[in-house]
């Protein structure tokens, strides 16, 4: 499947979608506290997105029942918010959400600590975030897709972390998931050549232990196979003529 090159008009719409999603994440971060249910996070997220006149893109996507994936501690991605799960002091929580603005999508994820967290958890969150920016150094025209994933993997493995293999980033535009798939690890082949106008969702998912993951019985929630903590950091980006533009920051 061909990778779509966005027009100036499309890029403007995706820029606005990204700005609104960045604001959504800032609001969600402010709302987080020990004792709140993961369902409460979902309600706040949907409210914020709709207040901007946008559509929560995750809600009912392939049957997903919420506007935000709330993944706690050893949950890697796609945690389903519930009224029974409460955040506790010392937890880490990954929030992955997206919105549609005038038909165009933005997708981003962040991992936060709840209250005082361990030094190890702090480092995992910081390294996961920085690995995204290590990948961004290669998100330039003329480079190849694999350059991004290879940089992310090299950086994280220096810390002894596991880079998830079973889930990858993706192209994005009028659809949440477009070509190409974007691994966060060295595929052993170059992949496509990057060109200006490509819009991509780059999303390192990094485990404190091994990279292996398992799916829970709900068929959505992905957890680390060894029970170790996991962190997630994602932005929607634009390949330009020079440095990449991060649309969801």
């Amino acid at each position: 499947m061909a990778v779509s090159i966005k027009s100036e008009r499309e890029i403007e719409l995706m820029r606005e979608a990204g700005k609104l999603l960045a604001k959504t994440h800032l609001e969600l971060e402010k709302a987080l506290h020990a004792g709140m249910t993961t369902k409460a996070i979902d309600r706040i997220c949907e409210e914020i997105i709709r207040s901007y006149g946008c559509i929560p893109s995750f809600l009912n996507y392939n049957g997903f029942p919420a506007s935000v994936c709330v993944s706690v501690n050893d949950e890697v991605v796609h945690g389903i918010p519930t009224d029974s799960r409460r955040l506790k002091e010392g937890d880490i929580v990954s929030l992955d959400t997206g919105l549609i603005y005038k038909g165009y999508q933005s997708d981003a994820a962040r991992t936060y600590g709840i209250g005082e967290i361990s030094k190890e958890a702090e480092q995992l969150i910081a390294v996961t975030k920085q690995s995204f920016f290590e990948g961004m150094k290669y998100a330039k025209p003329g480079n190849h897709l694999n350059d991004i994933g290879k940089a992310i993997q090299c950086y994280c493995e220096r810390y002894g972390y596991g880079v998830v293999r079973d889930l990858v980033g993706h192209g994005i535009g009028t659809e949440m998931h477009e070509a190409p798939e974007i691994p966060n690890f060295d595929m052993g082949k170059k992949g496509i050549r990057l060109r200006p106008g490509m819009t991509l969702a780059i999303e390192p998912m990094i485990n404190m232990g091994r990279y292996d993951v398992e799916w829970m019985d709900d068929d959505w929630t992905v957890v680390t196979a060894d029970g170790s903590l996991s962190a997630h950091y994602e932005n929607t980006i634009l390949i330009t003529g020079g440095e990449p533009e991060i649309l969801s920051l």
Side-chain angles (χ1 to χ4, degrees):
M1 193 171 148
V3 179
S4 71
I5 302 296
K6 308 301 188 293
S7 68
E8 274 309 314
R9 170 78 181 134
E10 290 179 303
I11 288 166
E12 269 314 308
L13 292 169
M14 290 194 70
R15 216 172 251 139
E16 190 55 32
K19 265 186 216 153
L20 294 171
L21 187 57
K23 283 169 72 175
T24 302
H25 269 292
L26 290 173
E27 292 300 319
L28 286 173
E29 183 182 12
K30 278 189 248 170
L32 289 176
H33 62 268
M36 82 187 301
T37 66
T38 55
K39 188 67 182 168
I41 299 168
D42 178 53
R43 281 193 282 267
I44 293 165
C45 182
E46 182 174 358
E47 217 167 83
I48 294 165
I49 289 172
R50 293 199 189 280
S51 77
Y52 298 143
C54 296
I55 297 164
S57 49
F58 286 26
L59 186 59
N60 302 319
Y61 182 79
N62 289 341
F64 189 76
S67 297
V68 57
C69 301
V70 185
S71 307
V72 184
N73 295 332
D74 66 333
E75 294 171 351
V76 182
V77 282
H78 305 158
I80 297 175
T82 67
D83 282 318
S84 55
R85 183 81 184 260
R86 288 185 184 275
L87 298 180
K88 301 189 306 293
E89 179 91 10
D91 282 344
I92 68 170
V93 58
S94 298
L95 303 182
D96 184 5
T97 188
L99 57 76
I100 304 168
Y101 170 79
K102 296 188 177 175
Y104 283 82
Q105 306 250 359
S106 189
D107 186 4
R110 309 279 186 262
T111 302
Y112 305 108
I114 303 301
E116 192 81 21
I117 62 171
S118 70
K119 288 280 172 274
E120 292 81 5
E122 263 177 24
Q123 179 179 276
L124 175 69
I125 292 171
V127 169
T128 301
K129 179 177 179 177
Q130 185 56 34
S131 75
F132 167 87
F133 291 98
E134 295 300 316
M136 283 310 88
K137 293 174 184 176
Y138 297 89
K140 295 175 185 174
N143 285 346
H144 289 82
L145 198 60
N146 197 50
D147 297 327
I148 297 173
K150 196 173 175 180
I152 290 168
Q153 179 181 11
C154 285
Y155 184 74
C156 293
E157 288 184 350
R158 272 189 243 157
Y159 294 85
Y161 295 153
V163 180
V164 173
R165 305 290 200 273
D166 293 42
L167 301 139
V168 295
H170 49 92
I172 185 168
T174 54
E175 301 293 329
M176 193 198 307
H177 292 107
E178 298 184 355
E181 288 195 339
I182 308 165
N184 299 301
F185 52 89
D186 185 355
M187 295 180 287
K189 57 182 183 197
K190 286 180 175 180
I192 61 162
R193 189 184 290 275
L194 300 174
R195 291 171 53 201
M198 289 179 173
T199 46
L200 311 172
I202 313 284
E203 51 178 322
M205 290 154 271
I206 310 300
N207 301 343
M208 198 180 275
R210 299 198 319 267
Y211 65 69
D212 315 79
V213 298
E214 294 171 353
W215 268 255
M216 300 298 280
D217 291 342
D218 61 20
D219 286 336
W220 279 107
T221 311
V222 180
V223 297
T224 58
D226 59 8
S228 64
L229 294 179
S230 187
H232 186 195
Y233 188 82
E234 175 186 22
N235 281 302
T236 299
I237 72 152
L238 167 70
I239 304 295
T240 71
E243 295 298 320
E245 183 180 341
I246 300 171
L247 301 177
S248 53
L249 265 187

